[in-house]
Amino acid sequence: MTGEYRKPLPRVTSDNRPFWEATKRHELRLQRCGACGRFRYPPAPVCPDCLSEDAEWTPVSGRGTVTTFIVMHKVYFQSFAGDVPYNVVQVELEEGPRLTANLVDVPNEGMTVGMPVEVVFDDVTPEITLPRFRRTS
Ligand SMILES: [Zn+2]
């Protein structure tokens, strides 16, 4: 990366801080309910299934499949002007939760629902590392 990163950045909160601390270490961790074992995302103080407050930030595989995607052609943010057309994908992780991110190293016309992918980490600022995904064979 060259120059200052000008795109929107995630807002780090007390609920999601462990997620962003993990990505900074190039690890993907999600909350796993200590009562029922369900993985959840986005981060939340209670389990949406059993309402337990007991959870542990647990490493996950980083593997999943593309469940849907779009290609952005319009410049909604000036900082993305050089990127259009760019993709936004939803990836369902093997552990269940779905993340919204970008697919890298795949041309927009080559994206398909069901494509197997794995997480990669993009250090966009000294504080923030964004998870993105690439195709696996
Ligand atoms: Zn639970």
Side-chain angles (χ1 to χ4, degrees), residues 32-38 40 46-54:
R32 185 175 199 182
C33 178
C36 74
R38 176 186 164 156
R40 66 177 182 256
V46 298
C47 176
D49 273 357
C50 73
L51 304 182
S52 171
E53 296 178 10
D54 180 20

Side-chain angles (χ1 to χ4, degrees), residues 62-80:
R63 292 187 298 271
T65 56
V66 173
T67 50
T68 190
F69 62 87
I70 60 168
V71 176
M72 301 291 281
H73 293 272
K74 183 173 171 63
V75 178
Y76 290 100
F77 296 95
Q78 197 56 42
S79 55
F80 286 84

Side-chain angles (χ1 to χ4, degrees), residues 13-32:
T13 67
S14 57
D15 281 340
N16 69 23
R17 186 176 311 281
F19 178 85
W20 296 112
E21 288 175 347
T23 61
K24 192 173 174 179
R25 297 189 304 268
H26 291 196
E27 294 176 10
L28 195 61
R29 287 179 180 254
L30 298 182
Q31 287 173 300
R32 185 175 199 182

